[in-house]
C-alpha cells in the first residue's frame, strides 16, 4: 500500500512539472509574438503621429533668420578663405616653378660632373649651363651675413649702391619698389646721409666698415665712379652665398623682377640693344672690295650688356668676373666699368689671354627696358604702349630724374601723355 501511494505522488508531481514547463514555453512564445507585432509596446503613441511630430520640429522645414545670418557669415568666411587659398596656390606654384628649375640645374650638374658617359642620340645632348654655387663663408662678413639673412628671399635680393649725389633718384627707386610689393632689397650706403635717409623711410640699408679707398670715391664720386665700386662691393655678397640683382639708382620698378628671371646662367643682364638684332646678336657682313671674290667677311655682333642692371649667381666664374673688373678698373687709366664688364664676359681665350668661362643670358629687352627703347620706339607704337615692362632703366638720357618721374606717371598713374614732352635723345 505504501508503495502504491508513493508511485501516485510521484506521478502527480511529474504531471505538475510538465504543466509548469508548458506554461513557460507558451509564455515565451506569446512574448515573442507580441514583441514582433508591437515593437513600440502596447501603450506607445501612434507611430504615424510620432513621425508627424518629428516633421513638425525638423529645423530644415522652418529656417530662422538667425540661422540665415549664420549661413551668410559662413559664406563670407569661406569666400575670404578662398581668396587666401588662391594666394597660397599662386605662391606654391611659384615655389614649384623655382624648385623644378633648381632640380633641372642640379640634374644637369650631376650628369655633367659625374663619371664620363656616352653621348646620347642626336638632339638629346645638353651641356652644363649653370655652374655650381660656392660654399657660403659667413666669416667673410658676419654683420652683412646677418642683414642678408633677414632681408633676402630664397637667398636673393636687389642691391643698389648710392651716395648723397643721387638722393632724389634713390627716393623714386625705393618708392616704386615698395609699390610693387618687393621686400628683398637693400641699399648699400656710401655715406652717413644716405644711411639716415634710408632709415627715416624704413628702407633696408647697409654701410660697409670704413675703407679709405672706397670711402673717398663713394662720398664724392659721380655716377661712373660709384658704378665702378659695385664690383668690388658685390664680391662679399657672392661669397656669402647670395644671388644679387644689381640695380643702378636710375631705374623704375614696375613689376617684381624675380618672377621673370631664368636663373640658368652665371649672369643675366639687360641689354643696351633696342631691337632683336642688337639685343640678341646678328651676323654683320663686312665689305672689303679690294679682296675681290673674298670681299665679304661675316662678323658676329651684339650690343653691350648694361652693367647697371644684372643678376649674378654666387659661382666661381661670377666671383672671378668681379675680381677681373675691379682689378682692371683700379689699374687701367681709361677703363670704363661697362666696357670692361662686357669684354671679360665675351672675349674668348686667345694667345696671351685666358677668357672667362662664365655662362650668360640676355634679358628680354621689352621687359627689362632701356630708355632708348621706351622713348624712341615704345611710346610711339599703340600696341607696345600697352605693354608693362618689369623695369625701365633711364640709361640713355642725362635728364634722369624728370624722365623717371614721367615713367611713373605713364605706367603707374595712367597719364597717357606723360612721356610726350621729352625728345628721343638728349638735347
Amino acid at each position: 500500500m505504501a508503495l502504491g501511494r508513493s508511485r501516485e505522488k510521484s506521478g502527480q508531481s511529474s504531471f505538475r512539472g510538465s504543466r509548469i514547463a508548458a506554461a513557460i514555453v507558451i509564455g515565451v512564445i506569446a512574448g515573442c509574438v507580441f514583441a514582433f507585432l508591437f515593437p513600440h509596446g502596447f501603450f506607445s503613441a501612434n507611430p504615424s503621429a510620432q513621425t508627424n511630430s518629428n516633421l513638425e520640429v525638423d529645423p530644415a522645414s522652418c529656417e530662422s533668420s538667425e540661422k540665415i545670418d549664420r549661413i551668410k557669415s559662413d559664406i563670407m568666411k569661406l569666400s575670404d578663405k578662398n581668396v587666401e587659398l588662391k594666394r597660397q596656390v599662386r605662391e606654391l606654384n611659384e615655389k614649384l616653378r623655382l624648385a623644378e628649375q633648381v632640380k633641372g640645374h642640379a640634374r644637369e650638374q650631376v650628369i655633367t660632373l659625374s663619371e664620363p658617359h656616352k653621348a646620347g642620340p642626336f638632339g638629346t645632348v645638353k651641356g652644363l649651363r649653370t655652374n655650381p654655387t660656392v660654399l657660403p663663408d659667413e666669416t667673410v662678413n658676419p654683420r652683412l651675413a646677418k642683414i642678408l639673412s633677414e632681408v633676402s628671399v630664397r637667398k636673393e635680393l636687389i642691391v643698389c649702391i648710392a651716395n648723397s649725389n643721387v638722393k632724389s633718384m634713390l627716393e623714386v627707386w625705393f618708392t616704386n619698389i615698395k609699390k610693387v610689393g618687393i621686400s628683398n632689397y637693400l641699399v648699400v650706403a656710401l655715406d652717413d646721409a644716405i644711411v639716415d635717409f634710408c632709415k627715416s623711410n624704413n628702407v633696408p640699408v647697409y654701410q660697409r666698415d670704413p675703407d679709405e679707398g672706397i670711402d673717398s670715391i663713394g662720398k664724392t664720386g659721380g655716377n661712373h665712379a660709384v658704378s665702378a665700386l659695385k664690383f668690388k662691393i658685390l664680391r662679399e655678397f657672392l661669397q656669402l652665398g647670395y644671388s644679387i640683382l644689381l640695380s643702378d639708382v636710375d631705374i623704375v620698378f614696375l613689376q617684381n623682377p624675380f618672377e621673370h628671371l631664368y636663373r640658368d646662367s652665371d649672369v643675366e643682364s639687360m641689354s643696351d640693344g633696342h631691337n632683336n638684332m642688337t639685343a640678341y646678336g646678328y651676323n654683320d657682313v663686312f665689305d672689303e672690295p679690294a679682296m675681290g671674290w673674298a670681299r665679304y667677311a661675316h662678323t658676329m655682333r651684339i650690343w653691350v650688356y648694361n652693367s647697371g642692371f644684372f643678376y649674378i649667381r654666387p659661382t666661381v666664374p661670377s666671383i672671378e668676373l668681379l675680381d677681373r673688373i675691379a682689378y682692371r678698373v683700379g689699374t687701367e687709366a681709361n677703363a670704363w666699368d661697362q666696357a670692361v664688364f662686357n669684354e671679360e664676359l665675351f672675349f674668348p681665350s686667345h694667345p696671351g689671354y685666358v677668357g672667362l668661362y662664365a655662362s650668360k643670358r640676355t634679358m628680354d629687352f621689352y621687359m627689362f627696358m632701356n630708355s632708348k627703347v621706351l622713348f624712341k620706339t615704345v611710346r610711339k607704337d599703340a600696341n607696345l604702349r600697352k605693354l608693362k615692362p618689369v623695369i625701365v632703366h633711364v640709361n640713355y638720357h642725362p635728364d634722369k630724374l624728370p624722365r623717371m618721374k614721367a615713367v611713373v606717371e605713364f605706367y603707374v598713374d595712367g597719364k597717357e601723355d606723360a612721356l610726350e614732352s621729352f625728345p628721343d635723345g638728349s638735347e
Side-chain angles (χ1 to χ4, degrees):
M1 291 292 292
L3 180 59
R5 282 197 298 271
S6 176
R7 287 179 179 173
E8 183 181 350
K9 287 181 179 179
S10 175
Q12 289 176 351
S13 177
S14 176
F15 178 73
R16 190 181 299 114
S18 298
R19 283 189 298 171
I20 292 173
I24 292 173
V25 170
I26 292 170
V28 171
I29 294 172
C32 290
V33 171
F34 281 119
F36 179 79
L37 294 176
F38 304 100
H40 298 289
F42 237 174
F43 302 101
S44 64
N46 189 340
S48 61
Q50 284 188 343
T51 304
N52 291 337
S53 175
N54 290 336
L55 288 174
E56 289 174 2
V57 298
D58 186 357
S61 64
C62 184
E63 297 286 355
S64 66
S65 60
E66 183 179 346
K67 187 169 184 180
I68 291 174
D69 291 341
R70 283 201 306 269
I71 292 174
K72 288 181 178 179
S73 176
D74 290 342
I75 291 173
M76 291 180 64
K77 289 179 181 178
L78 288 172
S79 178
D80 293 340
K81 188 174 291 186
N82 186 44
V83 172
E84 176 63 17
L85 286 173
K86 286 182 178 179
R87 183 189 66 79
Q88 291 178 1
V89 167
R90 286 196 300 269
E91 290 182 355
L92 287 172
N93 285 336
E94 175 63 14
K95 289 180 180 178
L96 180 62
R97 185 185 68 81
L98 291 175
E100 288 296 328
Q101 196 174 63
V102 171
K103 181 181 177 182
H105 297 340
R107 187 184 299 112
E108 287 182 4
Q109 290 178 8
V110 169
I111 293 173
T112 305
L113 299 176
S114 61
E115 294 296 322
H117 54 277
K118 294 181 179 179
F122 178 82
T124 65
V125 178
K126 300 290 183 182
L128 181 65
R129 265 69 170 175
T130 309
N131 284 298
T133 57
V134 298
L135 186 67
D137 182 6
E138 293 192 1
T139 63
V140 170
N141 190 331
R143 184 167 65 89
L144 178 59
K146 184 176 185 300
I147 294 173
L148 296 182
S149 67
E150 296 170 351
V151 174
S152 68
V153 175
R154 291 189 288 272
K155 304 278 286 189
E156 296 178 322
L157 71 156
I158 301 169
V159 173
C160 176
I161 300 169
N163 63 13
S164 294
N165 292 338
V166 294
K167 183 177 178 180
S168 297
M169 286 190 290
L170 179 64
E171 184 172 14
V172 177
W173 182 86
F174 65 65
T175 298
N176 284 278
I177 281 182
K178 290 181 178 181
K179 285 182 181 178
V180 172
I182 302 168
S183 61
N184 51 329
Y185 69 100
L186 180 70
V187 174
V188 177
L190 297 177
D191 55 46
D192 295 337
I194 290 296
V195 174
D196 296 337
F197 181 60
C198 288
K199 288 181 177 178
S200 65
N201 286 278
N202 197 28
V203 171
V205 63
Y206 163 71
Q207 188 174 30
R208 288 169 50 90
D209 292 331
D211 184 311
E212 184 176 348
I214 289 181
D215 286 349
S216 60
I217 299 174
K219 291 178 180 179
T220 61
N223 282 347
H224 284 302
V226 171
S227 183
L229 288 178
K230 62 194 173 195
F231 298 100
K232 184 174 182 179
I233 294 174
L234 282 181
R235 192 185 202 278
E236 287 184 343
F237 288 77
L238 298 193
Q239 283 183 280
L240 293 171
Y242 289 84
S243 295
I244 302 301
L245 185 57
L246 189 282
S247 171
D248 276 356
V249 73
D250 56 343
I251 289 176
V252 177
F253 286 78
L254 302 168
Q255 297 186 58
N256 190 332
F258 292 108
E259 297 175 0
H260 299 268
L261 297 174
Y262 285 82
R263 301 174 177 84
D264 63 349
S265 305
D266 296 306
V267 177
E268 287 182 61
S269 178
M270 73 171 295
S271 172
D272 273 359
H274 58 93
N275 56 27
N276 285 341
M277 289 176 58
T278 56
Y280 308 139
Y282 62 102
N283 184 358
D284 183 47
V285 180
F286 176 77
D287 183 12
E288 189 177 6
M291 288 298 296
W293 175 82
R295 64 182 293 179
Y296 300 109
H298 291 258
T299 68
M300 300 306 299
R301 299 189 64 184
I302 186 171
W303 286 31
V304 296
Y305 283 176
N306 191 290
S307 62
F309 191 87
F310 61 87
Y311 176 80
I312 186 166
R313 295 177 58 252
T315 66
V316 169
S318 295
I319 295 174
E320 184 183 0
L321 171 66
L322 299 181
D323 287 350
R324 288 186 179 209
I325 298 171
Y327 174 77
R328 288 186 55 187
V329 170
T331 57
E332 298 176 12
N334 298 317
W336 175 33
D337 67 284
Q338 179 158 295
V340 175
F341 176 66
N342 282 270
E343 290 170 0
E344 294 298 337
L345 274 175
F346 286 95
F347 282 176
S349 296
H350 55 263
Y353 175 79
V354 178
L356 179 73
Y357 294 91
S359 57
K360 49 196 173 288
R361 169 182 281 273
T362 307
M363 293 176 171
D364 185 327
F365 71 92
Y366 280 130
M367 288 288 96
F368 298 89
M369 190 182 296
N370 62 57
S371 54
K372 179 177 181 177
V373 173
L374 175 61
F375 286 97
K376 188 176 180 181
T377 305
V378 171
R379 67 170 173 169
K380 301 175 184 179
D381 187 294
N383 290 322
L384 292 176
R385 285 170 67 94
K386 300 174 184 177
L387 177 70
K388 187 175 183 179
V390 177
I391 60 116
V392 173
H393 188 178
V394 187
N395 60 315
Y396 269 98
H397 301 88
D399 50 340
K400 295 181 180 298
L401 184 58
R403 290 193 187 240
M404 288 177 71
K405 291 180 177 179
V407 169
V408 175
E409 290 177 349
F410 181 75
Y411 284 109
V412 179
D413 302 333
K415 187 178 179 182
E416 291 291 331
D417 62 347
L419 305 174
E420 303 307 316
S421 63
F422 298 93
D424 288 356
S426 55
E427 295 178 335

